[in-house]
Amino acid sequence: MSAARPPGPGTMRAMVLEGPGRPLVPVERPIPRAGPGQLLLRVRACGVCRTDLHLLDGELDVPAPRVLGHQIVGVVAGGDRRVGVPWLGWTCGECAYCASGRENLCERARFTGRDVDGGFAEYAVADERFCLPIPDGYPDLQAAPLLCAGLIGYRALRMCGDAGRLGLYGFGAAAHIICQVAVWQGRRVFAFTRDGDGAAQALARELGAEWAGASESAPPEPLDAAIIFAPAGALVPTALRALAPGGSVVCAGIHMSDVPSFPYELLWGERHLRSVANLTRADGRDFLELAPCVPVRTHVTPYPLERAGEALEDLRRGRVVGAAVVEP
């Protein structure tokens, strides 16, 4: 059934993952119903994330069939209240992690677009407690990347402490947001991209990075911290090699290829290596309050709903500058 065909009464269009390694398919299905404590949202925009690509490729487990997409900007059905739906969709609220402000590590957590249907559809249902307010002044398309690229990037940036010289490896959706925040905070940003990616390097300089070059290149001076957004484990020793003593490397992705062995001397000197897992609602509230102060401006490439699979493939091939956003 073609996704371009208008849905019938009580139905909606959606792009569905029917199994790992299989392309998204257009379907017409009933509009979901909101249960107690949930909101039914008419989706206005949904950002495309590399995590969606990991789910599509089977690198992360996902119960199928599933509607992907976890950077949702939607309007509550029957009203005009606009909210954002991030990756973290539900937590138990009872475990030691939830009780200690680390709900991002809840072992029973449910994630939007993996455990519950996401935003590559005309409607979505979300737990109201995990919906976030969208700042005024952000159109739907520009707001969507804030909800994962921005939130995860901001959590990673916080883990860098007060590092003055910051390297960003992989200058895509998250890095182009966090570059703006870091520059606003007074940090010096060094951007690393795929070799020959002139468009991404030009965007990095436009957004305030003082240097941009290939990921394999050494920065002009040692870094105090580096965030790796690209899912390439080989970048870990590369980034460690670029650090000054006492510096930190933060791996910001939910999935990464294997990290190769490296000599201990790269870690020695009290260098740190750590990962970021998911996000908390506090991260969301803090970042979305901060974004208009910078102000963060997102660079987006819109795709109609029926081209969600094409958006994922463009992301895979490095053809997206900034962020891709599906627009139902």
Side-chain angles (χ1 to χ4, degrees):
M1 184 176 296
S2 171
R5 184 177 123 186
T11 64
M12 68 172 186
R13 294 177 299 138
M15 297 297 291
V16 175
L17 175 65
E18 294 187 327
R22 300 170 65 178
L24 302 184
V25 295
V27 301
E28 184 177 313
R29 54 165 54 180
I31 295 173
R33 294 180 179 272
Q38 295 182 322
L39 298 176
L40 174 63
L41 305 174
R42 183 170 184 88
V43 178
R44 300 280 291 272
C46 186
V48 180
C49 179
R50 187 163 291 276
T51 299
D52 297 314
L53 198 54
H54 295 317
L55 293 167
L56 179 77
D57 292 344
E59 293 168 329
L60 298 173
D61 291 336
V62 55
R66 179 64 69 219
V67 178
L68 304 182
H70 57 271
Q71 301 180 89
I72 305 170
V73 176
V75 174
V76 179
D80 58 4
R81 177 186 169 199
R82 190 172 66 143
V83 299
V85 182
W87 171 242
L88 186 66
W90 180 91
T91 59
C92 73
E94 302 171 347
C95 67
Y97 294 117
C98 288
S100 59
R102 297 177 293 164
E103 64 182 9
N104 58 307
L105 301 178
C106 176
E107 294 180 353
R108 295 165 56 194
R110 299 174 191 162
F111 299 101
T112 310
R114 192 196 77 168
D115 304 299
V116 296
D117 284 332
F120 291 172
E122 291 181 306
Y123 287 88
V125 167
D127 188 317
E128 185 172 13
R129 298 170 301 168
F130 290 82
C131 292
L132 300 170
I134 300 295
D136 293 336
Y138 283 92
D140 300 327
L141 288 173
Q142 280 65 44
L146 301 178
L147 294 164
C148 184
L151 298 187
I152 296 296
Y154 184 59
R155 185 172 180 86
L157 181 62
R158 279 178 156 175
M159 290 186 176
C160 294
D162 60 359
R165 297 169 296 184
L166 177 68
L168 301 178
Y169 285 81
F171 205 85
H176 98 283
I177 291 173
I178 295 311
C179 177
Q180 297 173 63
V181 176
V183 170
W184 178 77
Q185 291 177 336
R187 305 175 194 255
R188 300 168 60 200
V189 176
F190 301 79
F192 298 83
T193 73
R194 296 186 188 193
D195 188 22
D197 192 346
Q201 292 174 15
L203 178 60
R205 295 188 188 96
E206 177 187 332
L207 296 177
E210 67 176 65
W211 178 90
S215 295
E216 297 75 18
S217 301
E221 55 189 279
L223 305 173
D224 298 309
I227 304 175
I228 301 178
F229 291 111
L235 289 176
V236 170
T238 300
L240 283 171
R241 193 172 287 111
L243 283 188
S248 299
V249 170
V250 180
C251 300
I254 194 173
H255 175 83
M256 180 179 274
S257 60
D258 289 347
V259 177
S261 62
F262 55 85
Y264 176 64
E265 65 181 341
L266 294 184
L267 190 61
W268 191 77
E270 299 192 348
R271 294 173 176 88
H272 305 266
L273 175 62
R274 65 182 308 174
S275 67
V276 167
N278 313 314
L279 70 145
T280 67
R281 283 172 284 179
D283 293 326
R285 290 188 292 267
D286 290 349
F287 175 68
L288 292 175
E289 287 178 5
L290 173 68
C293 299
V294 173
V296 170
R297 293 289 178 253
T298 56
H299 295 241
V300 303
T301 301
Y303 292 78
L305 177 61
E306 61 271 15
R307 291 176 56 200
E310 180 181 335
L312 285 166
E313 191 59 29
D314 285 348
L315 180 61
R316 183 199 309 278
R317 303 297 178 188
R319 294 193 287 252
V320 176
V321 178
V325 180
V326 169
E327 188 176 24

